């Protein structure tokens, strides 16, 4: 339960079946089903699009995830992700987060995109079958709800992104689930 009449809602993505194929254009690199932006051989961002499901497994919309490097004062270059969740009958949610240090960008021989990506190599899973992508924050979730539209308008809150590995096949291809757990409440407004 979320204080002040808020609510927690979970959205789910199954990979690889929920991934929507994208086509790379000039200045972009095709990285599996993801598209990466590259300049002088250095990848600066990647984008993926997925079908979005409710907790019961019903497809309810689309989600896009962009991952990029960001400069933070006093911390240097860190990796972050932004999500747009589009639920046609309800509206859209715009989310942002700093990714945890265990999923920082690293070279990947199979594709040019930043990692993590939902079809990452089996080696990514050597630390366990559940990975929290969102950097931990004191007192709760680490990601922030930036804004919403329609049903989600005027709400604020936080979210957490986790990945659960379900299978690694004989060819090293992974299958699993991304869960976005959102905590939403009405934005408090002060009159001065």
């Amino acid at each position: 339960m979320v204080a002040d009449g808020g609510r927690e809602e979970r959205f789910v993505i199954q990979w690889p079946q929920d991934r929507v194929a994208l086509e790379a254009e000039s200045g972009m690199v095709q990285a599996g089903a993801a598209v990466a932006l590259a300049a002088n051989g250095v990848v600066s961002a990647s984008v993926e699009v997925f079908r979005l499901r409710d907790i019961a497994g019903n497809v309810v919309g689309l989600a896009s995830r962009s991952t990029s490097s960001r400069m933070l004062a006093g911390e240097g270059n860190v990796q972050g992700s932004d999500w747009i969740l589009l639920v046609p009958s309800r509206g859209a949610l715009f989310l942002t987060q700093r990714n945890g240090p265990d999923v920082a960008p690293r070279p990947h021989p199979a594709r040019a995109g930043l990692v993590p990506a939902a079809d990452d190599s089996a080696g990514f899973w050597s630390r366990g079958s559940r990975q929290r992508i969102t950097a931990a924050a004191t007192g709760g979730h680490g990601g922030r709800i930036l804004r919403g539209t329609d049903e989600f308008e005027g709400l604020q809150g936080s979210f957490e992104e986790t990945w659960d590995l379900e299978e690694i096949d004989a060819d090293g291809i992974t299958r699993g689930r991304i869960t976005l757990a959102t905590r939403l409440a009405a934005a408090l407004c002060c009159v001065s």
Side-chain angles (χ1 to χ4, degrees):
M1 187 59 131
V2 178
D4 298 326
R7 66 179 187 253
E8 182 170 287
E9 189 166 358
R10 293 178 184 271
F11 296 97
V12 176
I13 296 164
Q14 297 288 333
W15 85 78
Q17 64 267 34
D18 284 343
R19 188 174 252 128
V20 176
L22 300 173
E23 187 172 319
E25 296 189 20
S26 177
M28 299 178 178
V29 177
Q30 193 70 40
V35 172
L37 303 174
N40 301 322
V42 176
V43 174
S44 58
S46 64
V47 177
E48 299 173 276
V49 176
F50 303 94
R51 284 186 287 283
L52 184 66
R53 299 175 184 271
D54 62 16
I55 198 68
N58 302 305
V59 174
V60 295
L62 289 173
S64 70
R65 179 181 197 265
S66 60
T67 302
S68 61
S69 295
R70 299 148 189 220
M71 292 298 291
L72 293 181
E75 298 184 55
N77 202 14
V78 299
Q79 185 191 73
S81 295
D82 299 304
W83 284 91
I84 299 173
L85 310 182
L86 175 61
V87 183
S89 61
R90 298 177 61 198
L93 273 172
F94 300 86
L95 319 173
T96 191
Q97 72 182 355
R98 177 179 172 179
N99 293 347
D102 292 339
V103 293
R106 62 192 187 281
H108 191 290
R111 59 175 193 276
L114 285 174
V115 277
D119 63 348
D120 206 346
S121 66
F124 175 78
W125 298 101
S126 62
R127 295 182 305 276
S129 61
R130 172 169 271 202
Q131 299 294 327
R132 178 181 168 145
I133 305 304
T134 310
T138 304
H141 297 6
R144 293 182 301 124
I145 309 291
L146 295 175
R147 69 175 304 239
T149 66
D150 298 330
E151 178 185 319
F152 304 111
E153 189 170 354
L155 299 177
Q156 63 183 12
S158 60
F159 80 100
E160 181 179 323
E161 176 184 350
T162 56
W163 295 355
D164 290 289
L165 177 67
E166 295 171 356
E167 174 186 35
I168 302 175
D169 71 14
D171 295 326
I173 305 297
T174 63
R175 183 175 63 83
R177 179 180 66 250
I178 298 171
T179 302
L180 300 169
T182 63
R183 297 177 56 123
L184 301 163
L188 299 177
C189 181
C190 301
V191 178
S192 40

